[in-house]
Amino acid sequence: MRGRQIIVWLATADLLASFAVLIRSSSWLAAQALSINGTYYVGSMFCAISSGWIQYFYGVTYLWTLFYAIDVLRVMQGIPGNMIAYHIIVWSSPLLYTVVGLTILYYPDFSCHAMGANVFGRILPNYLLTYLPTVFIMIANPILYLKSSRQAEKVISSSGRFTSNERKQLRILRYKFLSINLVFFICWLPNLINAIAVWSLWTHLPRDPILVSAYFMALFNPLQALLNAFVYRKWGDHPSSVKIRFPWTKPQELNREEDIHLLGRNDEDHSGDMNSFSTTVDENNGRKSSNVSINGYGSF
């Protein structure tokens, strides 16, 4: 169930960030430059607020992307997750570095154009606070998903059954992890290229390459919401599931919500699929043990 909740909150943050981009773009297109009409202060304030809105909610999407990968690994390892802790970190951290970065950039008069000799001291912190989390997730998520894939293979192998069906489901799982990482790289790599180009060629900025990278940013950043809808969906079309026994799972602890979370299925899918989840008897101690479908990670 946690996986579905994380996806919902990720989609919500994506929607709010894309909506902010739409509002900002349409406003500037409708009124080309607010300063021309003698409302420079209002235009600068709008620029600051809309920038903060976009930066904050995209920062939230970064962290939900990270915590999805963390939660996948925790489930594979049998470690319980904590949605309350996830929410506290995800919603508060971007707020902190967004406020700090924009305060340095716009304080005290909402003007980011008259910085004098202190241009690096005002712009650079905001760049670092914006893009360092992106770089961190680009490094951390592939590592987390690699560990999750290895853990899934370990759990499947420990069940004593590793047929072509299990290999197929494991391959689907790895393709999904790869796709999630690729989407994040596609959507945010243009921003990193633009930032590196701006700071490495500050004194002689090439107009056309910078403009091209800006167009790519405008295209791929909001596209993250659409691409996420494809990569976080249910993967695989096999009618049956690969049953594996999670050694850490106790029958009294495995409730319906956790089962749905592991399977990544909605109530309609789950209620009609008795092959997705089964309970067997441990011959050694006579206790019941749970077998959970790894195919669920195809729709995590």
Side-chain angles (χ1 to χ4, degrees):
M1 194 65 177
R2 290 195 313 271
R4 292 182 63 84
Q5 292 176 358
I6 292 174
I7 293 172
V8 169
W9 286 112
L10 172 59
T12 301
D14 263 326
L15 177 63
L16 292 172
S18 300
F19 183 66
V21 172
L22 176 63
I23 294 295
R24 179 185 174 102
S25 302
S26 59
S27 298
W28 285 114
L29 288 175
Q32 291 284 320
L34 298 179
S35 59
I36 296 178
N37 299 323
T39 55
Y40 177 81
Y41 181 80
V42 174
S44 297
M45 182 182 294
F46 173 78
C47 181
I49 293 174
S50 59
S51 297
W53 183 357
I54 295 169
Q55 183 176 334
Y56 172 71
F57 281 110
Y58 274 133
V60 171
T61 66
Y62 300 162
L63 290 185
W64 278 129
T65 302
L66 174 65
F67 275 98
Y68 182 87
I70 292 174
D71 196 67
V72 169
L73 181 59
R74 291 174 71 90
V75 171
M76 292 290 187
Q77 295 175 337
I79 304 173
N82 189 330
M83 281 300 295
I84 296 178
Y86 292 172
H87 276 288
I88 292 174
I89 297 173
V90 167
W91 297 104
S92 62
S93 299
L95 180 63
L96 176 62
Y97 58 70
T98 298
V99 170
V100 171
L102 293 182
T103 299
I104 296 174
L105 181 62
Y106 285 100
Y107 183 81
D109 55 0
F110 286 101
S111 175
C112 61
H113 301 289
M115 301 180 183
N118 197 28
V119 59
F120 284 96
R122 296 188 64 177
I123 297 181
L124 184 59
N126 191 54
Y127 263 81
L128 294 176
L129 291 170
T130 300
Y131 292 120
L132 283 181
T134 310
V135 174
F136 175 78
I137 293 171
M138 284 182 171
I139 296 172
N141 271 23
I143 296 174
L144 291 170
Y145 283 129
L146 178 62
K147 294 182 68 173
S148 296
S149 298
R150 290 176 176 174
Q151 182 66 20
E153 183 175 3
K154 179 180 178 181
V155 174
I156 293 176
S157 301
S158 66
S159 67
R161 176 186 176 187
F162 199 65
T163 65
S164 60
N165 190 32
E166 282 82 2
R167 286 192 291 270
K168 176 183 177 181
Q169 300 303 323
L170 188 60
R171 186 168 60 252
I172 291 174
L173 180 68
R174 288 170 173 166
Y175 284 156
K176 176 168 184 174
F177 290 164
L178 175 62
S179 299
I180 292 174
N181 285 318
L182 283 177
V183 165
F184 192 84
F185 272 81
I186 289 171
C187 291
W188 298 108
L189 194 58
N191 297 61
L192 295 182
I193 294 174
N194 178 270
I196 293 172
V198 166
W199 289 104
S200 60
L201 304 171
W202 181 265
T203 55
H204 302 286
L205 286 178
R207 182 179 181 277
D208 291 340
I210 296 297
L211 191 60
V212 169
S213 65
Y215 279 123
F216 275 106
M217 291 164 57
L219 172 64
F220 286 110
N221 291 176
L223 198 60
Q224 176 181 248
L226 176 63
L227 295 178
N228 279 346
F230 290 103
V231 298
Y232 284 97
R233 64 176 176 84
K234 178 181 177 181
W235 282 52
D237 55 357
H238 200 276
S240 62
S241 301
V242 178
K243 298 184 181 67
I244 59 173
R245 182 180 184 277
F246 285 80
W248 57 82
T249 307
K250 298 179 181 179
Q252 63 270 24
E253 293 178 353
L254 187 62
N255 54 31
R256 177 177 172 80
E257 286 189 350
E258 186 176 354
D259 180 25
I260 296 173
H261 168 53
L262 291 172
L263 297 175
R265 304 189 175 194
N266 55 34
D267 291 338
E268 290 79 12
D269 293 338
H270 182 72
S271 59
D273 187 3
M274 296 305 295
N275 293 324
S276 300
F277 177 76
S278 65
T279 305
T280 59
V281 178
D282 191 330
E283 296 179 356
N284 295 328
N285 50 27
R287 293 183 304 173
K288 291 182 178 181
S289 60
S290 301
N291 295 273
V292 182
S293 167
I294 193 63
N295 187 44
Y297 288 102
S299 61
F300 210 99

